[in-house]
Amino acid sequence: MSGWLEHLIFGILAASSVASSFLVVTRRNPIYSALFLIVMFSMVAGIFMLLDATFLGFMQLLVYAGAIMVLYLFVIMLINPRDDSLPEEGGFTEKTFAVGVALLVFSLLAFGISNSETVSTLAEAGTIPDLPEVAQTHGAIEAFGYELFHKHLLVFEVASILILVGIIGAVHIAMKNKPAPVELGANDEERLVNDV
Amino acid sequence: MFSLPVLLYLSALLFSIGIYGVLARRNILVVLMSLELMLNAVNIALVGFGRVHALSTTSGEHSGQIFTLMVLAVAAAEAAIGLSLLLLIWRKWKTIDLRELCRLSG
């Protein structure tokens, strides 16, 4: 692919991923947040593919934009919050605090990136060069799978155990036929009002 | 190809937007989504580093991408657990407002 086309596609993907992630955190209705999050995940999948991580790009689409977001949408539909039951969002002080912390983190990260010797050495060429002939299979599913199952087999198994534990935990936590839920008594009601 | 710092700045920007979402929002659903956003931002950095690292090896190395795959697995487990906790909270207290869960602090 020619250089300027790649730059153009990357620019579009980066800009729309930033814009849609901004919309995710600012929309009041969680359904809009979820839909913009799907857009954001798809854009990031595109960035992965530009970086020769084709398999990961498809995984991103399948797992994130597919499975996880369907889970989110199911939960949103299940609890179906009406407009009046949506939480009151924080006021000006809270938002300013959050913006301040986010800016602080971003500036720290940017400071680290711009001062890192490793990054500047890696970036000396200006742009990431194309892969050498011997590494052309980088990111292809065969090469990726070969390395995953030869060099990193243990990690793979640990991940499978993690997901198994996650499934069992999720089923147990969300199970319906457990001891009756705690009813909100008058005392609790009062404490709730006082606490908030 | 675009340069590595551009990618890292993009990743840092998305990460900070996620931090804003986690801190400023009171809707648990949106807070969980912001967490996913932050994980994804880290994934971008990992894949970028892995892509640059592949240049210096002879046969192409995938450590960065395998890291990313593991982050993906963690994100899937986190989403499942987080959403089931959210369902539990909704069933017990009929709220998805983080501020109303102050009583969890005892």
Side-chain angles (χ1 to χ4, degrees), chain A residues 81-144:
Chain A
R82 284 178 309 281
D83 253 359
D84 52 333
S85 70
L86 285 175
E88 193 83 6
E89 286 305 331
F92 181 71
T93 6
E94 231 173 307
K95 282 191 171 140
T96 320
F97 172 71
V99 168
V101 174
L103 278 180
L104 182 71
V105 170
F106 179 72
S107 46
L108 279 176
L109 286 171
F111 179 78
I113 293 165
S114 58
N115 282 289
S116 160
E117 239 173 71
T118 323
V119 172
S120 51
T121 331
L122 286 173
E124 231 165 34
T127 57
I128 304 175
D130 283 337
L131 287 167
E133 204 66 47
V134 280
Q136 280 294 322
T137 55
H138 181 79
I141 185 162
E142 300 95 338
F144 183 83

Side-chain angles (χ1 to χ4, degrees), chain B residues 72-89:
Chain B
L72 220 92
V74 171
E78 177 245 309
I81 297 283
L83 287 174
S84 55
L85 281 174
L86 169 63
L87 270 185
L88 199 68
I89 290 169

Side-chain angles (χ1 to χ4, degrees), chain A residues 27 52 126-128 151, chain B residues 1 3 25-26 51 58 61:
Chain A
R27 290 307 92 184
D52 292 319
T127 57
I128 304 175
K151 268 169 92 177
Chain B
M1 266 291 195
S3 62
R25 296 303 300 264
R26 291 184 176 182
R51 174 63 176 71
T58 46
E61 247 246 341

Side-chain angles (χ1 to χ4, degrees), chain B residues 45-73:
Chain B
L46 283 174
V47 172
F49 275 126
R51 174 63 176 71
V52 173
H53 180 61
L55 289 170
S56 58
T57 55
T58 46
S59 59
E61 247 246 341
H62 291 86
S63 301
Q65 293 187 26
I66 285 165
F67 263 116
T68 309
L69 199 67
M70 295 309 134
V71 174
L72 220 92

